[in-house]
Amino acid sequence: MDSEENTTVFSTLKSFNSFIGCPATSSSTSGSTLQSQYKRNMDWLEAAEKVQSYSRYLQLDQEKKQMELSHKRVRVELEKSANDSACNLKLLEGKNSDMSARTKKLEEREKEALRNLSERVEANRELSKNLESLGKKVEERDARLSASNQTIICLKDEIRDLKQKLQNQDSILSNKKLEKQEVQEQLDLQRRKYQEMSQLCQSLQAAQSTCSEHVMKIKELERRLALQEQDAAIVRTIKSEATRVPDLEKEVKRLRGENLFLRDNRENCSLLKEEVEGLKRKLERTAKAKEDLVNMELEKERLTEKIRAWENLGQSTGLNIRKPEDLSREVIQIQQREITLQEENYTLNSRLRNMERSLSELRAQMSQQHGKTLEEQKKREGQSVLLDRLQRRFLLLTKERDGMRAILESYDSELAPAEHSPQLSRRLKEAEEMLLKTQALNTEMEAQLTKVQDETGTLKMQLQTLEFELESLRKQQAAPDDVCSVSKEEVNMLRQKIEDLEAERQRLEREKEILEMRLERHNLQGDYDPVKTQVLHLKMNPTSVGKQERQQEIESLRQEAEHLRDVVRKLQEGGHSQLDAILHSAELSLPPPKEVLDLQKQIESSELRNQRLKEVFQKKIQEFRTVCYILTGYQIDIPIENQYRLTSVYAEHMEDWLVFQKGSNGNMQLMETAFTKTLDELVNLHLHHQNSIPVFISAVTLELYSRQTTV
Amino acid sequence: MTSTLKGITLKGSVEVVADFFSFGINSILYQRGIYPPESFTRVSQYDMNLQVTDDPKLKDYLNSVVSQLKAWLLDCTVQKLVLVITCLETNEVLERWQFDIECDKSAKECSAPREKSIKAIQNDIRSVLRQITATVTFLPLLETPCGFNLLVYTDKDLEIPEKWEESSPHIISQSEEVRLRSFTTSIHKVTSMVAYKKTDSL
């Protein structure tokens, strides 16, 4: 169809082109042909346009058909593809489910794997830790091993030293033995000598005993001799005394006679003494009587004189006196006269005193009046002053009032603006307050002033009264002379009294100073007045405690000294043989000397060190043995000296052991045991042929191991 | 507590005086060697270094004496405190440290604090303690083992407390006396003096 359309298009186009070409030949025609040409052109244009549009339409139609075709194709393809995709989708879904199942499985496996991994990691960590600890332990074991090796080396050195010492000691011992033998020989010699000497001693002792017996006999004889001599001397004295006996008898007689005589004399003496005493008393009495007599005579003379005077009285006084009655009469008269005179005296005195009193009263009144006049004057002055002040005050007040009035008027005049009134009133109040304050101050000052003026007035009054009194006293002093002289005497007496008192006062002051110094001294020393003060102290004070402790110490020391003295006495009495017994019985608890203490301490420390070393050795040896067992696989025991028993770790029975003997030349030999009988080949190979014990032992280990694993 | 106030009350004065006695007695015991120097520790008080004893028995004794002394100081019934040093062998008194206490009884009635600065009181106490330390130069050496005792002079009519008893004044025969400084808290005045036995070796 398209091609048909295309061919039509082409054909039209061809015709068009030919059409277009034709007119080119016919262009000579004229204008009508131009119009026709134009018309033709226009027709051709229109036809061309139509053709064009038709061709476009055809094109479009073709395109549309093509598109529809393509559309269908595409749709078909799409359906195919959709089907394919649906199939794919199903396949994919199936695959997806498979995959999801697989993923789930894989996830589960992964989780398990993770768990396993974590477990393994933990196990790993633990193992690593164990490894570390084991490593540390191994290190420690290594260190300990090295240390133990060192100690073993040290011990070996010590053992060597000890062996050397032992050898030295052995040599010394042998020397000592030799010496001992020598000494023993000497001892035998000495014993023999001793026996001889003992025999000699015995003989000597016998001789000594006989000698001592002789000596005792001699002493006895001497004693007897001395006694005899004493007896002889006594006999001689007795003889001499006996010769003297008759003389003594004579003397005795004489003395007896004297005695009697003296006794008589004594009695006479006592009689005489009594007489003497009697005479003495008489003498005293007579002396007293004489004195009395003398006194009496004196009194008599006095009395006679008195009587004579009394008798002459009448002549001396010129009165008519003959008898005592006259005298008494005269006396009475005189007394009466005296009484009257005294009465007159008293009246005169009373009058005098009255006069004096009135005088003093008048003087007092005068002074009072004077004082009053002064007071009046003062009052008048005060009044005048007050008046002046009041006038001044009045003036001030009037001035103030005028001023205040002026201020008030000014304020009233300015009262129109209302804003100023509160201020003004405030100012007014302040001014009033100030005024009141100043007035109060003023009154205070005035009161103070009045007080001061009063005081000055009183002082002036006192002064004037004193002056007045002084004047009166002066006037009194200028008065009669007899009063003055009496007062002068009084004044002198008073002055002397004053001087005496002054001197006494100074003396007392000095005494007081001395006493104060003494008191101060006593105070410093610690004296006190028992009436006002008491001294207290605590019952349990350090001094008393110290004294008690000292006492106890002294007591204990005394007891110890006594005890030691007893021990020493016992020792001195007992002698050396009983030394130990005495000391033991004494139970001395002497503190051991310092050296002993030091040595004890050293011993303790060395024992402790030994103990520690033993423990350390034990531990190290045990460790070493276990490590050897672990590393070599053999436990090495020493059942007997120089015999070593090896038990393998892989041994089948407990009694499967290898026994090696160390020979005197130092090499090891394998002993025959039940177990070695089973190892003949190895023995032959390694020991007899190869002559190597380590190889043999390792071969045995391998054999046993192989036996164990196969079994 | 008294250092923050301006004035000093009766109670405060009692505390000051009791502290002075406590430290003073410790100083004297240390200086005179009554107790071994290693039984003393150094403390700081009144801006100076003083030695105070560690011995528990001695501390108990001093505390009991000082506490009773405080009660008596409050009542103003104590007149003197004396520290007596006795030779333990011969029982004779070798030294006598005497502290006279004068109490202003008007402080008991009127409880207003008095104007006296704590610093001034502490300065005075410091000078007294320094002087006590300096007296060691002229006091004779105490060569024999010695014990000490504390005596208190109180008013006669005072009731004797339980653990106390009357004693003799322990006066030294043939003594030399030296008067030391005094200090006052304006309520209590404490004067110090020392008396020692004259030594013949001069």
Side-chain angles (χ1 to χ4, degrees):
Chain A
M1 177 133 23
D2 289 336
S3 60
E4 286 176 2
E5 288 171 0
N6 289 337
T7 50
T8 51
V9 167
F10 285 134
S11 63
T12 49
L13 272 173
K14 225 184 228 181
S15 65
F16 179 61
N17 283 335
S18 62
F19 182 69
I20 289 170
C22 288
T25 53
S26 59
S27 60
S28 51
T29 49
S30 62
S32 66
T33 60
L34 273 169
Q35 264 187 355
S36 66
Q37 264 185 359
Y38 181 66
K39 273 184 193 168
R40 265 189 240 144
N41 282 347
M42 286 308 293
D43 292 332
W44 283 345
L45 275 170
E46 283 175 15
E49 279 180 20
K50 277 183 192 169
V51 164
Q52 257 191 1
S53 61
Y54 188 66
S55 65
R56 210 187 286 159
Y57 166 72
L58 285 173
Q59 268 183 3
L60 288 171
D61 213 12
Q62 258 191 353
E63 278 177 9
K64 191 184 102 187
K65 281 178 190 168
Q66 275 179 0
M67 276 183 68
E68 278 177 3
L69 277 171
S70 65
H71 212 71
K72 278 182 195 168
R73 250 187 260 137
V74 162
R75 211 187 299 155
V76 163
E77 280 173 5
L78 276 173
E79 279 174 7
K80 274 188 201 168
S81 67
N83 286 334
D84 289 334
S85 62
C87 296
N88 283 340
L89 188 68
K90 281 180 194 164
L91 282 168
L92 284 170
E93 274 177 6
K95 276 187 192 171
N96 200 13
S97 58
D98 290 336
M99 296 301 276
S100 61
R102 263 198 223 163
T103 49
K104 276 180 198 167
K105 281 183 202 165
L106 284 170
E107 276 177 14
E108 281 169 21
R109 267 195 220 164
E110 199 186 332
K111 278 180 201 167
E112 277 179 29
L114 277 169
R115 244 183 282 140
N116 287 339
L117 186 71
S118 59
E119 280 171 18
R120 291 278 163 76
V121 160
E122 279 173 20
N124 235 8
R125 253 181 252 148
E126 281 175 19
L127 283 169
S128 64
K129 275 182 206 166
N130 283 343
L131 262 170
E132 281 173 16
S133 60
L134 284 169
K136 278 179 203 164
K137 277 183 193 169
V138 163
E139 282 171 16
E140 280 172 28
R141 291 244 174 95
D142 284 336
R144 271 187 230 162
L145 196 67
S146 59
S148 65
N149 283 341
Q150 282 175 359
T151 50
I152 285 167
I153 291 165
C154 298
L155 288 166
K156 280 188 185 163
D157 292 332
E158 280 185 30
I159 287 166
R160 246 179 276 138
D161 293 333
L162 285 166
K163 275 185 188 165
Q164 275 179 1
K165 276 185 193 170
L166 198 69
Q167 283 171 0
N168 290 341
Q169 295 286 339
D170 286 334
S171 63
I172 290 165
L173 196 70
S174 57
N175 288 340
K176 293 282 180 205
K177 273 182 190 167
L178 287 166
E179 280 176 15
K180 187 182 135 192
Q181 280 171 358
E182 285 176 17
V183 163
Q184 268 191 341
E185 284 166 15
Q186 281 182 6
L187 191 71
D188 291 331
L189 273 168
Q190 294 290 333
R191 266 196 200 139
R192 262 176 259 144
K193 277 186 191 171
Y194 172 69
Q195 278 171 359
E196 287 169 16
M197 296 307 285
S198 60
Q199 282 170 1
L200 278 167
C201 272
Q202 277 172 5
S203 59
L204 260 169
Q205 271 180 3
Q208 261 186 358
S209 60
T210 49
C211 272
S212 60
E213 280 175 23
H214 287 310
V215 160
M216 271 169 56
K217 276 184 193 169
I218 288 166
K219 275 185 192 162
E220 259 196 58
L221 289 166
E222 278 178 0
R223 204 171 33 86
R224 273 189 212 162
L225 192 68
L227 281 167
Q228 273 184 351
E229 278 177 6
Q230 278 175 10
D231 291 336
I234 287 164
V235 158
R236 257 181 260 137
T237 51
I238 286 168
K239 266 188 194 169
S240 61
E241 277 176 11
T243 49
R244 274 199 289 155
V245 158
D247 297 331
L248 286 169
E249 278 179 9
K250 280 179 204 164
E251 256 196 70
V252 161
K253 273 183 208 164
R254 192 174 52 82
L255 286 166
R256 272 189 199 144
E258 273 188 39
N259 243 359
L260 285 164
F261 178 65
L262 283 167
R263 264 187 218 134
D264 293 333
N265 273 352
R266 199 167 31 143
E267 285 170 16
N268 290 341
C269 271
S270 58
L271 284 168
L272 284 167
K273 272 181 192 167
E274 283 174 20
E275 277 185 38
V276 159
E277 277 173 26
L279 285 167
K280 270 186 193 168
R281 270 184 240 131
K282 266 191 200 170
L283 189 69
E284 282 172 15
R285 265 183 267 140
T286 49
K288 272 188 213 164
K290 262 193 193 170
E291 283 174 20
D292 289 339
L293 189 69
V294 165
N295 290 337
M296 296 288 272
E297 279 183 2
L298 282 168
E299 266 193 57
K300 188 187 118 189
E301 279 179 25
R302 258 189 283 128
L303 286 166
T304 47
E305 276 181 29
K306 271 189 193 172
I307 288 165
R308 260 185 241 135
W310 281 112
E311 280 174 0
N312 292 338
L313 245 182
Q315 293 163 11
S316 62
T317 53
L319 295 165
N320 194 10
I321 293 170
R322 296 277 156 74
K323 295 174 197 167
E325 292 95 16
D326 297 336
L327 186 66
S328 61
R329 190 174 30 88
E330 288 291 335
V331 163
I332 286 162
Q333 281 177 4
I334 289 164
Q335 277 179 352
Q336 281 175 352
R337 259 186 258 158
E338 208 188 315
I339 285 162
T340 50
L341 282 169
Q342 270 188 1
E343 280 176 11
E344 280 172 29
N345 197 12
Y346 288 149
T347 49
L348 282 168
N349 277 338
S350 61
R351 242 193 261 165
L352 182 70
R353 267 185 239 120
N354 283 338
M355 298 296 277
E356 279 178 3
R357 229 184 296 138
S358 59
L359 187 70
S360 62
E361 274 174 21
L362 284 168
R363 280 203 194 115
Q365 275 181 13
M366 210 171 82
S367 62
Q368 270 182 16
Q369 293 297 326
H370 198 74
K372 273 184 190 168
T373 50
L374 289 166
E375 271 183 35
E376 292 296 316
Q377 272 184 5
K378 193 182 64 74
K379 269 187 196 169
R380 202 160 29 86
E381 282 168 18
Q383 297 283 348
S384 62
V385 161
L386 209 86
L387 191 68
D388 290 332
R389 226 186 292 135
L390 282 169
Q391 280 179 350
R392 260 183 265 134
R393 245 176 136 184
F394 178 65
L395 283 167
L396 280 168
L397 281 168
T398 46
K399 278 186 194 160
E400 273 182 44
R401 193 195 46 170
D402 294 334
M404 297 304 284
R405 261 195 205 152
I407 289 165
L408 278 167
E409 281 165 17
S410 65
Y411 285 158
D412 284 332
S413 62
E414 294 171 12
L415 209 56
E419 301 120 33
H420 295 293
S421 56
Q423 276 182 12
L424 285 170
S425 58
R426 206 174 2 103
R427 265 192 228 164
L428 190 68
K429 277 179 201 163
E430 281 171 19
E432 278 176 9
E433 281 167 24
M434 285 287 294
L435 184 71
L436 285 164
K437 273 186 206 165
T438 47
Q439 277 178 0
L441 257 173
N442 217 8
T443 47
E444 274 178 37
M445 298 297 284
E446 279 170 11
Q448 275 183 14
L449 193 65
T450 47
K451 244 194 262 174
V452 166
Q453 277 180 350
D454 287 336
E455 279 171 20
T456 48
T458 49
L459 283 168
K460 269 186 199 167
M461 250 180 52
Q462 278 178 9
L463 186 69
Q464 279 170 351
T465 47
L466 284 168
E467 278 178 11
F468 196 63
E469 277 175 16
L470 193 67
E471 281 175 20
S472 63
L473 281 168
R474 276 195 200 135
K475 278 180 205 162
Q476 274 185 359
Q477 268 192 351
D481 287 333
D482 54 349
V483 176
C484 200
S485 63
V486 168
S487 66
K488 267 189 193 168
E489 281 176 17
E490 279 185 19
V491 161
N492 285 335
M493 261 176 60
L494 287 167
R495 270 199 205 132
Q496 231 185 359
K497 261 193 190 174
I498 285 166
E499 280 168 22
D500 293 335
L501 287 168
E502 190 68 35
E504 182 131 1
R505 190 183 68 84
Q506 281 178 0
R507 188 179 60 83
L508 287 167
E509 262 198 45
R510 263 179 268 132
E511 273 188 34
K512 189 182 114 180
E513 274 171 30
I514 290 164
L515 287 167
E516 269 181 7
M517 264 176 48
R518 260 195 230 160
L519 193 70
E520 172 80 15
R521 184 112 199 282
H522 281 294
N523 203 19
L524 281 174
Q525 283 179 341
D527 234 347
Y528 66 101
D529 179 8
V531 173
K532 292 185 200 155
T533 321
Q534 60 183 359
V535 184
L536 302 173
H537 69 168
L538 268 175
K539 287 176 194 164
M540 291 302 296
N541 59 64
T543 309
S544 59
V545 165
K547 277 186 199 165
Q548 272 175 15
E549 280 173 10
R550 233 190 147 67
Q551 280 291 324
Q552 283 168 4
E553 222 184 293
I554 286 166
E555 271 304 314
S556 67
L557 282 168
R558 251 186 233 146
Q559 281 173 7
E560 214 182 309
E562 278 296 321
H563 187 66
L564 285 167
R565 262 186 225 131
D566 289 334
V567 166
V568 163
R569 234 178 279 139
K570 278 185 201 164
L571 282 170
Q572 279 176 350
E573 286 163 15
H576 287 287
S577 56
Q578 297 169 13
L579 186 72
D580 296 329
I582 288 166
L583 279 173
H584 189 69
S585 66
E587 290 174 357
L588 273 176
S589 60
L590 283 170
K594 255 195 178 179
E595 293 170 2
V596 171
L597 286 167
D598 289 337
L599 287 167
Q600 275 178 354
K601 275 185 210 162
Q602 275 186 18
I603 285 165
E604 282 169 16
S605 64
S606 58
E607 274 179 15
L608 197 67
R609 220 185 313 140
N610 277 345
Q611 189 74 23
R612 282 203 203 114
L613 280 169
K614 274 187 204 164
E615 285 169 19
V616 169
F617 293 159
Q618 193 84 2
K619 248 199 298 176
K620 288 293 172 199
I621 286 164
Q622 192 65 31
E623 268 185 49
F624 189 67
R625 278 169 59 80
T626 47
V627 165
C628 281
Y629 183 56
I630 291 165
L631 291 174
T632 57
Y634 282 97
Q635 188 173 329
I636 304 172
D637 301 316
I638 307 177
I640 311 164
E641 190 73 30
N642 283 340
Q643 253 195 31
Y644 300 94
R645 189 178 64 194
L646 276 80
T647 316
S648 175
V649 68
Y650 300 117
E652 288 163 339
H653 309 107
M654 281 298 292
E655 295 86 22
D656 289 345
W657 49 56
L658 301 164
V659 179
F660 286 89
Q661 172 96 26
K662 187 167 180 183
S664 52
N665 50 0
N667 52 358
M668 303 287 269
Q669 290 172 348
L670 178 66
M671 307 299 289
E672 186 80 23
T673 61
F675 183 56
T676 52
K677 287 177 191 159
T678 60
L679 302 167
D680 273 338
E681 299 148 9
L682 292 170
V683 168
N684 283 332
L685 177 61
H686 299 294
L687 287 176
H688 293 312
H689 286 287
Q690 291 174 354
N691 202 20
S692 162
I693 295 174
V695 175
F696 168 69
I697 286 171
S698 46
V700 167
T701 313
L702 286 168
E703 174 71 28
L704 287 170
Y705 183 67
S706 62
R707 273 192 215 168
Q708 277 223 327
T709 47
T710 51
V711 168
Chain B
M1 22 162 187
T2 50
S3 57
T4 54
L5 299 170
K6 279 278 179 183
I8 184 157
T9 59
L10 176 65
K11 259 196 172 181
S13 173
V14 163
E15 287 288 333
V16 165
V17 172
D19 279 342
F20 162 72
F21 281 135
S22 171
F23 284 103
I25 289 165
N26 271 298
S27 268
I28 292 167
L29 292 175
Y30 175 74
Q31 294 290 338
R32 303 309 286 138
I34 310 293
Y35 288 87
E38 47 267 11
S39 66
F40 286 84
T41 28
R42 209 172 64 164
V43 299
S44 185
Q45 181 81 8
Y46 309 119
D47 286 335
M48 58 194 278
N49 287 323
L50 296 169
Q51 298 282 346
V52 172
T53 183
D54 284 339
D55 188 347
K57 275 196 209 168
L58 181 58
K59 268 194 193 175
D60 284 337
Y61 173 72
L62 286 177
N63 284 336
S64 52
V65 170
V66 168
S67 55
Q68 183 60 57
L69 197 67
K70 277 193 203 175
W72 282 330
L73 280 167
L74 267 175
D75 285 334
C76 296
T77 48
V78 62
Q79 297 170 10
K80 292 190 220 275
L81 173 73
V82 179
L83 186 140
V84 176
I85 295 176
T86 325
C87 171
L88 286 173
E89 283 168 9
T90 57
N91 273 341
E92 56 177 354
V93 182
L94 297 176
E95 264 180 37
R96 213 169 174 279
W97 294 79
Q98 185 168 296
F99 300 95
D100 290 346
I101 302 163
E102 286 162 32
C103 184
D104 189 358
K105 293 214 161 64
S106 67
K108 271 206 316 192
E109 289 95 45
C110 155
S111 63
R114 299 216 182 167
E115 285 293 317
K116 176 95 189 192
S117 106
I118 303 294
K119 281 277 176 191
I121 296 169
Q122 284 192 343
N123 269 336
D124 293 338
I125 289 175
R126 191 171 33 242
S127 48
V128 171
L129 288 170
R130 280 219 183 101
Q131 205 179 20
I132 287 172
T133 312
T135 55
V136 171
T137 49
F138 64 81
L139 289 174
L141 293 170
L142 299 171
E143 276 146 0
T144 56
C146 293
F148 84 100
N149 196 358
L150 288 170
L151 310 174
V152 184
Y153 285 49
T154 60
D155 293 343
K156 181 74 181 175
D157 51 357
L158 189 67
E159 184 197 327
I160 302 177
E162 196 193 309
K163 294 199 181 144
W164 292 72
E165 63 181 5
E166 279 215 42
S167 98
S168 75
H170 288 94
I171 295 180
I172 303 175
S173 55
Q174 293 171 359
S175 65
E176 292 272 2
E177 299 93 27
V178 175
R179 199 173 255 281
L180 305 174
R181 282 184 208 266
S182 66
F183 76 93
T184 173
T185 63
S186 73
I187 296 174
H188 291 103
K189 180 169 179 200
V190 177
T191 41
S192 334
M193 59 207 84
V194 61
Y196 56 95
K197 196 174 169 68
K198 274 193 238 190
T199 49
D200 302 320
S201 61
L202 268 176

